């Protein structure tokens, strides 16, 4: 590789974190600060099916049949986004790869282009705090206003500020459901972390504290604390 080529290598970052760790929020902030597109797997699925791209049609077919979308279809969607001009300097991947098998397949596809995941940021939050964060979410069934018992409580406990409707908790946010999701999500996630740790690519970042504090830690881990206004 020549010096010229290495300085042109784009920055492909992967953000990893369990439900409630703030991964999506941080990916959005980093996307703005670093000027890199935020590629979230869920958004890519929705966009590809809405736009009716060939991969979107394939993914839709699998989903309609209640089957898992194969890894090569998902990777194809990410590669489509990575081939766009917006991603010329890099991108922030969120929500994929979720398993070591997916990570290996993605690594191979990127290697075919002479590229690789540059850095993996793992936002670590203790499991019990994750349960607390997610299960603190309540929502108004009338107007959809979200609340959080700790970080964004309504003026009157359990009541929507705007229309007085009693708040409800979504099934997905109930503590026992959150614990079950974590039990399912965390083991394969840790395998992905180990996979990239073997390549020396993982930065573990403490995900506790305010959003700003976590952003600062991530930027520091990326060696970019100077690059931010
Ligand atoms: Zn309301």
């Amino acid at each position: 590789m020549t010096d010229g080529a290495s300085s042109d290598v784009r920055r492909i970052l992967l953000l990893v974190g369990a439900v409630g760790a703030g991964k999506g929020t941080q990916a959005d902030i980093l996307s703005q600060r670093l000027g890199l597109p935020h590629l979230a797997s869920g958004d890519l699925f929705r966009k590809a099916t809405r736009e009716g791209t060939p991969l979107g049609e394939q993914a839709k077919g699998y989903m309609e049949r209640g089957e898992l979308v194969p890894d090569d279809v998902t990777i194809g969607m990410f590669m489509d986004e990575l081939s766009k001009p917006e991603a010329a300097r890099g991108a922030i991947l969120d929500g994929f790869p979720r398993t070591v098998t997916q990570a290996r397949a993605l690594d191979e596809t990127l290697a075919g282009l002479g590229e690789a995941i540059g850095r993996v940021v793992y936002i670590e939050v203790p499991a019990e705090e994750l349960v607390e964060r997610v299960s603190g979410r309540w929502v108004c069934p009338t107007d959809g206003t979200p609340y959080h018992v700790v970080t964004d409580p309504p003026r009157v406990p359990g009541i929507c500020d705007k229309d007085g409707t009693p708040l409800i908790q979504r099934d997905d946010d109930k503590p026992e459901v959150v614990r079950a999701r974590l039990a399912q999500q965390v083991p394969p996630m840790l395998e992905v972390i180990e996979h990239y740790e073997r390549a020396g690519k993982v930065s573990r970042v403490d995900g506790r504290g305010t959003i700003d504090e976590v952003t600062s830690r991530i930027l520091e881990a990326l060696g970019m604390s100077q690059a931010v206004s």
Side-chain angles (χ1 to χ4, degrees), residues 137-140 143-148 152-154 160 162 167:
R137 296 176 187 161
W138 291 74
V139 64
C140 170
D143 60 9
T145 307
Y147 296 89
H148 192 283
D152 188 20
C160 179
K162 295 180 184 163
L167 303 178

Side-chain angles (χ1 to χ4, degrees), residues 133 136 147-153:
R133 285 187 188 183
Y147 296 89
H148 192 283
V149 289
V150 178
T151 55
D152 188 20

Side-chain angles (χ1 to χ4, degrees), residues 10-224:
R10 57 181 172 174
R11 191 149 200 166
I12 302 174
L13 305 174
L14 171 60
L15 236 58
V16 181
V19 55
K23 172 172 59 75
T25 305
Q26 293 296 338
D28 275 337
I29 295 170
L30 290 176
S31 168
Q32 284 190 353
R33 297 245 188 133
L34 306 177
L36 302 177
H38 170 194
L39 307 181
S41 53
D43 295 344
L44 293 198
F45 277 121
R46 280 186 288 277
K47 191 172 157 213
T49 42
R50 193 176 60 235
E51 290 175 356
T53 66
L55 287 168
E57 289 300 317
Q58 278 189 52
K60 196 173 156 191
Y62 286 104
M63 290 187 285
E64 280 173 354
R65 293 192 296 275
E67 295 168 24
L68 282 178
V69 178
D71 293 345
D72 59 334
V73 174
T74 309
I75 290 173
M77 284 185 200
F78 275 94
M79 297 316 289
D80 273 358
E81 293 300 314
L82 285 171
S83 71
K84 292 180 179 172
E86 303 91 280
R89 289 177 48 247
I92 300 164
L93 273 50
D94 166 8
F96 187 86
R98 283 185 200 279
T99 65
V100 170
T101 309
Q102 292 176 345
R104 292 205 180 103
L106 177 65
D107 291 350
E108 238 171 67
T109 307
L110 288 171
L113 300 169
E115 294 194 273
I117 298 283
R119 187 128 288 272
V120 177
V121 174
Y122 174 30
I123 305 175
E124 285 187 289
V125 178
E128 270 318 295
E129 181 166 337
L130 292 173
V131 174
E132 239 169 73
R133 285 187 188 183
V134 179
S135 62
R137 296 176 187 161
W138 291 74
V139 64
C140 170
T142 305
D143 60 9
T145 307
Y147 296 89
H148 192 283
V149 289
V150 178
T151 55
D152 188 20
R155 285 193 297 269
V156 179
I159 301 294
C160 179
D161 289 350
K162 295 180 184 163
D163 53 21
T165 309
L167 303 178
I168 58 162
Q169 190 169 39
R170 296 187 317 140
D171 283 343
D172 270 0
D173 296 341
K174 292 183 174 155
E176 62 278 17
V177 178
V178 179
R179 282 197 192 92
R181 274 164 80 194
L182 287 173
Q184 206 173 39
Q185 185 186 47
V186 170
M189 186 185 80
L190 292 179
E191 284 178 22
V192 170
I193 294 299
E194 281 165 24
H195 169 78
Y196 286 112
E197 250 167 3
R198 280 193 286 277
K201 293 188 172 181
V202 177
S203 297
R204 288 172 180 259
V205 169
D206 185 351
R208 292 172 296 180
T210 66
I211 290 173
D212 281 350
E213 284 166 350
V214 177
T215 304
S216 301
R217 287 180 205 133
I218 294 174
L219 289 168
E220 201 176 315
L222 293 172
M224 288 173 165

